[in-house]
Amino acid sequence: MFFQKEAKSFDIDMGNIPSHIAIIMDGNGRWAKKRALPRKAGHKAGAEALEKIISDCRELGVKHLTVYAFSTENWKRSKEEVDAIMDLLRQYLKNYFKRFLQDDVRMKVIGDIRRLDKDIQESILEIEELSKEKNGLCVHIALNYGGRDELRRAICKLAEQAAQGTLRASDITEEVISAHLDTAGVPDPELVIRTSGEERISNFLLWQIAYAEFFFTDTLWPDFDRTSLEEAIYYYQNRERRFGGR
Ligand code: FPP
């Protein structure tokens, strides 16, 4: 049967868990199509998979998890599909994500949230505020996010400071650029995962992934589970990371 997965286990080193994992959660539509379900059922299953992966990352000791939930390009999808994703997001922000507060999980959003409905913006600010003292896993949800748009917004902030005379061109170091991105203060991801067999970055964290390892898997996002996560971490642990040196 196509949804029967081979049970495998991966001998991961708990002393070498990546501190920041970023995930492009792809394949919800194909997962639904295989089951003759509407695309929104795929997104619902995708949100459930995300809930489990958040718990798994927390248990494994990952410090930051960044997930690509809605890109600046995703507005081009049908209104019906965009509305379905936004409704899911509403539900998760207002209810399901709050369950993680008892597990010391912090929630943050990256991306330009000004284009989202007002009530969603309010729920984002609420959950960010409620979870701001949490010290376990920090989940960064990318919403109306695009790597180029994030860089454009950072450059605008720097240009404004230059125009006011508070910043010189020579002050613009890599650290200054990083500090003006949505991910300011967050270490760069060491591991990027993309599901569903696609091997593209699709405008995700363009600046931050300079030295990341990439794990691509054919597994569709709703089927991505603890074993899949451990497989990705095992792959990462067996890569030799040289950062351009020897
Ligand atoms: C990609 O699959 C997935 C998305 C564009 C949306 C991701 C959203 C979720 C996982 C749900 C998020 C929910 C919350 C609560 C944050 P696709 O539709 O591109 O799949 P396809 O390539 O098979 O068509």
Side-chain angles (χ1 to χ4, degrees):
M1 280 197 313
F2 64 80
F3 39 77
Q4 185 102 45
K5 271 182 72 172
E6 199 186 330
K8 275 195 193 147
S9 68
F10 294 90
D11 189 15
I12 56 173
D13 173 1
M14 291 301 286
N16 182 22
I17 299 290
S19 68
H20 186 171
I21 298 180
I23 308 184
I24 302 177
M25 307 179 289
D26 196 7
N28 295 347
R30 276 162 286 170
W31 183 94
K33 194 170 176 199
K34 269 179 152 183
R35 289 159 177 78
L37 293 169
R39 291 181 63 81
K40 69 177 184 187
H43 295 311
K44 182 166 180 286
E48 286 162 8
L50 173 60
E51 236 186 306
K52 294 202 191 89
I53 288 298
I54 291 174
S55 293
D56 294 333
C57 282
R58 188 186 65 78
E59 282 171 25
L60 288 167
V62 175
K63 298 304 286 177
H64 297 274
L65 170 69
T66 302
V67 290
Y68 210 2
F70 197 85
S71 74
T72 45
E73 288 74 34
N74 285 153
W75 296 106
K76 294 182 202 139
R77 297 190 176 203
S78 71
K79 180 172 180 329
E80 189 192 354
E81 185 171 353
V82 170
D83 286 350
I85 297 175
M86 291 299 156
D87 279 345
L88 259 179
L89 183 62
R90 251 188 204 96
Q91 273 177 32
Y92 273 78
L93 287 168
K94 288 192 206 299
N95 302 306
Y96 303 129
F97 285 151
K98 289 195 179 150
R99 290 186 206 149
F100 290 119
L101 294 173
Q102 69 204 37
D103 292 332
D104 210 21
V105 173
R106 183 169 183 188
M107 291 276 171
K108 288 174 102 175
V109 167
I110 60 168
D112 189 352
I113 66 167
R114 292 170 298 182
R115 194 169 166 188
L116 303 175
D117 286 351
K118 262 267 160 318
D119 69 306
I120 295 184
Q121 293 185 38
E122 283 163 13
S123 295
I124 290 170
L125 298 180
E126 187 197 359
I127 200 152
E128 285 185 337
E129 179 64 26
L130 279 174
S131 69
K132 71 176 184 203
E133 310 286 346
K134 305 291 175 190
N135 284 314
L137 170 69
C138 184
V139 181
H140 308 261
I141 305 170
L143 289 174
N144 189 29
Y145 175 87
R148 287 186 174 183
D149 184 61
E150 180 189 36
L151 282 163
R152 182 193 63 76
R153 288 184 282 109
I155 291 164
C156 286
K157 287 181 225 161
L158 295 172
E160 274 164 21
Q161 292 171 35
Q164 284 162 9
T166 54
L167 184 81
R168 290 165 304 176
S170 58
D171 294 333
I172 305 176
T173 59
E174 292 187 8
E175 288 72 25
V176 167
I177 294 173
S178 294
H180 286 78
L181 297 175
D182 297 345
T183 51
V186 179
D188 289 343
E190 293 104 329
L191 173 62
V192 177
I193 298 170
R194 183 171 190 153
T195 57
S196 90
E198 308 295 339
E199 300 191 356
R200 290 187 296 277
I201 286 307
S202 302
N203 204 12
F204 190 41
L205 302 176
L206 296 179
W207 175 270
Q208 298 88 338
I209 58 173
Y211 294 103
E213 297 291 340
F214 293 90
F215 178 78
F216 298 108
T217 173
D218 287 340
T219 302
L220 302 175
W221 173 251
D223 293 327
F224 192 88
D225 60 10
R226 172 72 171 246
T227 306
S228 323
L229 178 67
E230 290 185 2
E231 181 183 8
I233 294 173
Y234 182 80
Y235 168 86
Y236 162 82
Q237 290 180 341
N238 288 281
R239 304 291 301 167
E240 200 184 336
R241 307 193 72 215
R242 289 207 294 255
F243 302 95
R246 289 299 306 161

